[in-house]
């Protein structure tokens, strides 16, 4: 029995699971039952004796328990529960053989399915938005799915300029094109035009969410070598997790297999199907990795197939507070059997803004009761935050909310869609906007700009800008926080050089809506003086004509190719064309239809969901 106990303690770290099971079975004594049953052994002994029978089943659930009872327990008078069917010896043997061959099966699947991704990327410089940072090379993994597509992580191809893929056993790299990228869910789809690449490649099928303690094999090309690598682990936890790349809160699976740089984008295989995509690990911890579950992958792929591009994940647009305090519940008229969360803030751009009210109690989402801590039931006695139900909705779908308002229950219908935050969380694969006038550099506030202040950007960046970036909500579509980021020195702006990192509130008395609006006001100014009202009651006044002449001088001195970013150049050209069309009535209708088509094709949307651990602050 002592040898069996030692084998069991090694089970958590040993890869030879079946040998440990056999050792334990050999160590169990087989004696004929005595005339009088001895007293029941301790719980630890019972657990150790039952463990081989539990481990032999394909899944840890009551439906897979065997009614056969180990002989030491039969001696104690323990009988099998009659309601649970008995597993045959063949089923147990099959389970053991399957477990022994899981790693080999994963390797066989991966050889013709998993590829190595080589990316050349160049990220923007947000302090100097007219130029990029130095080019860099990175590597990741990916795997083939149906439709001749390759799934990988968004952060593997973020800000890419060139992408290559190489299949196992081949020295040739093939050029790949990025079909779609979802930075919130950290997923991307690649395509390869070469017919030679697809020769001999097999598709991987997507499976289901694994249960706790189920084994998975992570396949990819991590650092430390050039060949394919397989690491084994088990599922430790399934819950919404912060995605490091997109700063979103979506479901993730925690496993104890090692996920290292280069593993990103590789599949986690369970049996003969994909259980998820490896994408991040927990820094400072050993063997804690995360994979993107199949529902998130399917939601991303279906959105691309339906719309031809990434459609984003929906959000309800509200912030909620837990109602775990009994006095709080009594104050809002909640009965003892009621559970829910308190609506504390609503995004003005969401459909919920016209449906819900502050201090509503959200009781149910699509018929699913919400607990006082904001969680809903999930599988076998597991719970997850209810924003997972929101994120699984497709854009444009409706949800039924049951709320308690002024002591009365109501059922309300709300349309869900992705929402753009006031300050964008990320700006991957997109050039930053800027506008330079008389040496003053104006940009829209984004979190990537704050990230330029270093890893500890939250403490090192300007406090006012940081707080607004994290907390303020937009009041109308297209709104931006425009800031004066820096001053490029010239005679025209002497004395203003310290007025940097401040929000621009007004130009000549007109409130600034976004950077395009500021650019339009300045470019079309007809007054002698140009006045900028900044944050902290600071003011800049310039002679307009002198400032316009100084702009070209500043651009030449600092080798800046243009006074405005390409998106503002296109907008300015469109405005100029519209003005010219008004002067020529015969072409007005044609020009407006042309501009309408151009603007329709330029739309994009992103989504942000964030759970903040401040008591309970849930943004969905």
């Amino acid at each position: 029995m002592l040898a069996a106990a030692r084998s069991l303690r090694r089970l958590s770290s040993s890869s030879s699971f079946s040998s440990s099971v056999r050792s334990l079975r050999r160590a169990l004594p087989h004696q004929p039952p005595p005339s009088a049953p001895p007293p029941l052994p301790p719980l630890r002994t019972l657990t150790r004796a039952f463990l081989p029978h539990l481990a032999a089943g394909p899944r840890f659930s009551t439906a897979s328990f065997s009614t056969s009872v180990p002989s030491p327990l039969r001696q104690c008078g323990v009988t099998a529960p009659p309601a649970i069917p008995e597993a045959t010896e063949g089923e147990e043997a099959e389970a053991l053989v399957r477990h022994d061959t899981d790693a080999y099966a994963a390797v066989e699947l991966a050889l013709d399915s998993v590829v190595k991704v080589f990316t050349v990327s160049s990220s923007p410089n947000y302090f100097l938005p007219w130029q990029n940072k130095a080019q860099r090379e990175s590597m990741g993994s990916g795997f083939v799915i149906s439709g001749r597509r390759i799934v990988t992580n968004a952060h593997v191809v973020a800000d890419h300029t060139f992408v290559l893929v190489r299949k196992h056993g081949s020295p040739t790299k093939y050029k790949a094109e990025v079909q779609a990228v979802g930075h919130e869910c950290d997923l991307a789809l690649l395509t390869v035009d070469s017919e030679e690449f697809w020769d001999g490649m097999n598709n991987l099928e997507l499976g289901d969410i694994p249960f706790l303690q189920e084994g998975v094999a992570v396949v990819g090309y991590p650092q430390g070598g050039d060949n394919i690598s397989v690491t084994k682990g088990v599922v430790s936890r399934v819950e919404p997790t912060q995605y490091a790349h997109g700063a979103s809160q979506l479901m993730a699976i925690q496993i104890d297999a090692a996920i290292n740089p280069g593993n990103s984008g590789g599949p986690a295989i369970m049996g003969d199907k994909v259980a998820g995509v490896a994408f991040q690990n927990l820094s400072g911890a050993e063997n804690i990795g995360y994979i993107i579950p199949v529902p998130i992958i399917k939601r991303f792929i279906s959105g691309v197939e339906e719309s031809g591009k990434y459609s984003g994940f929906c959000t309800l647009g509200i912030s909620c507070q837990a109602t775990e305090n009994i006095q709080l519940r009594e104050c809002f008229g909640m009965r003892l059997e009621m559970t829910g969360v308190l609506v504390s803030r609503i995004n003005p751009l969401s459909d919920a803004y016209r449906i819900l009210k502050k201090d509503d109690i959200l009781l149910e989402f699509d018929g699913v009761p919400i607990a006082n801590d904001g969680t809903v039931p999930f599988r076998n006695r597991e719970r997850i935050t209810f924003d997972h139900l929101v994120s699984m909705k497709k854009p444009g779908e409706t949800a039924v909310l049951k709320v308690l308002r002024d002591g009365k229950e109501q059922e309300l219908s709300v349309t869900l869609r992705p929402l753009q935050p006031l300050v964008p969380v990320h700006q991957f694969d997109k050039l930053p906007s800027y506008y330079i006038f008389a040496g003053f550099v104006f940009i829209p506030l984004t979190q990537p700009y704050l990230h330029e202040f270093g890893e500890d950007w939250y403490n090192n960046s300007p406090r006012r800008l940081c707080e607004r970036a994290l907390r303020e909500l937009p009041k109308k579509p297209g709104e931006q926080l425009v800031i004066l980021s820096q001053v490029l020195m010239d005679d025209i702006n002497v004395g203003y050089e310290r007025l940097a990192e401040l929000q621009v509130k007004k130009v000549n008395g007109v409130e600034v809506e976004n950077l395009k609006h500021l650019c339009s006001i300045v470019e079309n100014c007809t007054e002698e003086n140009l006045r900028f009202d900044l944050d902290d009651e600071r003011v800049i006044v310039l002679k307009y004509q002198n400032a316009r002449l100084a702009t070209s001088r500043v651009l030449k001195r600092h080798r800046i190719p243009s006074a405005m970013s390409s998106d503002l150049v296109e907008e300015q050209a469109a405005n100029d064309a519209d003005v010219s069309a008004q002067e020529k009535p015969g072409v007005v209708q044609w020009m407006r239809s042309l501009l309408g088509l151009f603007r329709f094709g330029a739309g994009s949307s992103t989504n942000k969901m964030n759970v903040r651990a401040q008591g309970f602050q849930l943004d969905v």
Side-chain angles (χ1 to χ4, degrees):
M1 200 65 181
L2 180 60
R6 288 174 179 170
S7 298
L8 187 58
R9 280 198 292 270
R10 291 196 297 267
L11 190 63
S12 61
S13 60
S14 173
S15 61
S16 181
F17 178 84
S18 59
S19 61
S20 300
V21 172
R22 296 191 189 98
S23 300
L24 182 56
R25 285 179 171 173
R26 287 197 299 268
L28 290 174
H30 295 276
Q31 300 176 1
S35 56
L40 195 66
L43 179 61
R44 181 179 299 177
T45 304
L46 294 175
T47 305
R48 289 175 177 174
F50 262 123
L51 185 59
H53 293 259
L54 301 180
R59 219 167 254 222
F60 190 82
S61 63
T62 55
S64 63
F65 286 174
S66 171
T67 56
S68 60
V69 181
S71 56
L73 302 184
R74 287 199 299 268
Q75 298 172 15
C76 304
V78 178
T79 60
I84 303 177
E86 181 177 359
T88 64
E89 292 183 3
E91 290 175 345
E92 291 186 4
E94 182 183 355
L96 288 174
V97 171
R98 185 179 65 251
H99 197 100
D100 285 339
T101 58
D102 269 350
Y104 300 104
V107 172
E108 289 299 322
L109 285 171
L111 292 182
D112 297 327
S113 304
V114 180
V115 300
K116 191 170 186 177
V117 182
F118 302 84
T119 304
V120 179
S121 59
S122 181
S123 303
N125 186 336
Y126 286 90
F127 281 162
L128 304 174
W130 49 87
Q131 65 184 34
N132 279 2
K133 296 179 181 178
Q135 177 178 286
R136 65 185 184 92
E137 298 179 358
S138 59
M139 291 174 290
S141 306
F143 62 94
V144 176
I145 61 172
S146 61
R148 290 194 167 189
R149 296 169 296 179
I150 299 172
V151 175
T152 187
N153 282 144
H155 72 259
V156 171
V157 296
D159 294 323
H160 66 278
T161 58
F162 204 74
V163 180
L164 297 171
V165 295
R166 189 190 70 195
K167 55 185 181 180
H168 176 70
S170 171
T172 307
K173 298 176 184 177
Y174 300 87
K175 183 179 179 181
E177 298 292 338
V178 179
Q179 179 185 6
V181 179
H183 292 290
E184 286 76 24
C185 58
D186 202 0
L187 290 171
L189 286 178
L190 310 181
T191 58
V192 179
D193 292 334
S194 173
E195 290 294 331
E196 180 184 352
F197 170 81
W198 296 106
D199 185 25
M201 297 296 288
N202 294 328
N203 303 332
L204 288 180
E205 296 183 13
L206 301 179
D208 298 318
I209 301 177
F211 282 78
L212 301 182
Q213 288 301 304
E214 281 198 302
V216 295
V218 178
V219 186
Y221 294 86
Q223 63 182 9
D226 195 44
N227 286 328
I228 202 167
S229 168
V230 181
T231 56
K232 293 183 63 179
V234 298
V235 175
S236 309
R237 186 178 293 153
V238 180
E239 64 182 4
T241 303
Q242 189 81 16
Y243 281 38
H245 177 69
S248 57
Q249 192 84 8
L250 296 172
M251 178 182 283
I253 300 173
Q254 179 182 318
I255 61 176
D256 65 357
I259 296 180
N260 297 309
N263 266 129
S264 295
I269 299 176
M270 183 179 66
D272 60 349
K273 294 185 178 181
V274 174
V277 178
F279 75 114
Q280 66 185 30
N281 59 22
L282 185 62
S283 60
E286 294 184 1
N287 292 345
I288 296 183
Y290 296 90
I291 61 177
I292 303 171
V294 170
I296 302 294
I297 304 172
K298 289 183 176 179
R299 171 68 186 80
F300 165 72
I301 294 175
S302 64
V304 174
E305 291 175 344
E306 291 174 6
S307 63
K309 60 181 181 180
Y310 173 63
S311 57
F313 283 75
C314 291
T315 173
L316 197 54
I318 64 174
S319 297
C320 299
Q321 177 184 339
T323 59
E324 296 174 300
N325 185 278
I326 187 172
Q327 300 164 93
L328 180 66
R329 295 197 298 271
E330 290 176 352
C331 176
F332 287 96
M334 296 178 66
R335 298 189 297 273
L336 291 178
E337 70 276 10
M338 284 185 174
T339 61
V341 290
L342 176 67
V343 177
S344 56
R345 193 167 62 157
I346 309 174
N347 190 324
L349 301 186
S350 67
D351 189 55
Y353 189 75
R354 65 178 184 86
I355 301 295
L356 298 177
K357 294 183 179 180
K358 189 179 185 303
D359 293 345
D360 280 349
I361 301 293
L362 187 56
L363 303 175
E364 295 180 3
F365 181 89
D366 271 348
V368 180
I370 302 173
N372 293 329
D373 62 350
T375 61
V376 294
F378 175 68
R379 299 196 311 187
N380 183 23
R381 292 189 295 174
E382 298 175 69
R383 300 192 69 85
I384 57 174
T385 53
F386 84 95
D387 60 330
H388 171 67
L389 304 179
V390 180
S391 63
M392 287 297 98
K393 289 281 191 177
K394 295 182 179 180
E397 286 188 343
T398 59
V400 178
L401 308 179
K402 188 176 182 179
V403 301
L404 179 67
R405 180 181 298 170
D406 299 328
K408 298 180 181 179
E409 296 184 30
Q410 301 182 30
E411 285 196 353
L412 307 172
S413 180
V414 61
T415 302
L416 302 176
R417 56 188 176 87
L419 294 176
Q420 174 74 33
L422 176 62
V423 177
V425 179
H426 55 74
Q427 293 274 275
F428 298 110
D429 306 320
K430 181 181 179 182
L431 295 176
S433 299
Y434 70 90
Y435 176 61
I436 302 175
F437 185 78
F440 297 95
V441 182
F442 302 100
I443 63 170
L445 179 61
T446 62
Q447 282 199 30
Y449 170 77
L450 299 177
H451 296 167
E452 296 284 2
F453 288 88
E455 292 186 2
D456 193 18
W457 61 270
Y458 180 80
N459 294 315
N460 295 336
S461 60
R463 175 53 46 196
R464 287 189 179 185
L465 298 183
C466 186
E467 290 298 320
R468 289 170 183 171
L470 297 176
R471 302 186 185 280
E472 285 197 20
L473 295 174
K475 299 179 179 62
K476 49 188 174 181
E479 183 181 358
Q480 292 176 326
L481 293 182
V482 181
I483 64 172
L484 171 62
S485 64
Q486 61 177 305
V487 180
L488 305 176
M489 287 302 300
D490 186 79
D491 293 339
I492 196 72
N493 54 43
V494 171
Y496 293 137
E497 60 270 12
R498 295 188 179 182
L499 299 182
E501 298 166 359
L502 295 170
Q503 181 185 351
V504 183
K505 294 189 172 182
K506 295 181 180 180
V507 178
N508 281 354
V510 180
E511 290 190 5
V512 175
E513 298 178 0
N514 49 48
L515 185 61
K516 291 180 180 179
H517 186 217
L518 180 145
C519 177
S520 176
I521 297 174
V522 173
E523 291 294 319
N524 298 317
C525 178
T526 58
E527 300 180 20
E528 180 182 358
N529 293 329
L530 183 65
R531 171 172 171 156
F532 297 93
D533 287 271
L534 310 178
D535 196 14
D536 203 20
E537 306 301 328
R538 305 296 181 90
V539 176
I540 295 175
V541 178
L542 301 170
K543 294 292 185 182
Y544 181 70
Q545 294 301 329
N546 294 341
R548 284 189 67 89
L549 295 175
T551 300
S552 58
R553 187 168 64 241
V554 171
L555 296 178
K556 183 177 180 181
R557 180 182 300 122
H558 290 270
R559 300 183 181 91
I560 301 174
S562 175
M564 59 185 74
S565 54
S566 57
D567 58 327
L568 296 183
V569 171
E570 293 170 355
E571 183 73 15
Q572 190 67 26
N575 291 337
D576 293 344
D578 199 17
V579 171
S580 300
Q582 291 178 8
E583 296 175 356
K584 299 178 181 180
V587 295
V588 170
Q589 186 175 2
W590 177 80
M591 286 298 296
R592 284 180 177 172
S593 62
L594 179 62
L595 293 176
L597 289 173
F598 173 77
R599 294 190 183 108
F600 178 79
S604 63
S605 62
T606 58
N607 174 48
K608 178 189 177 184
M609 290 167 289
N610 188 23
V611 176
R612 299 189 182 94
Q614 299 174 359
F616 175 82
Q617 186 70 20
L618 176 66
D619 294 341
V620 289

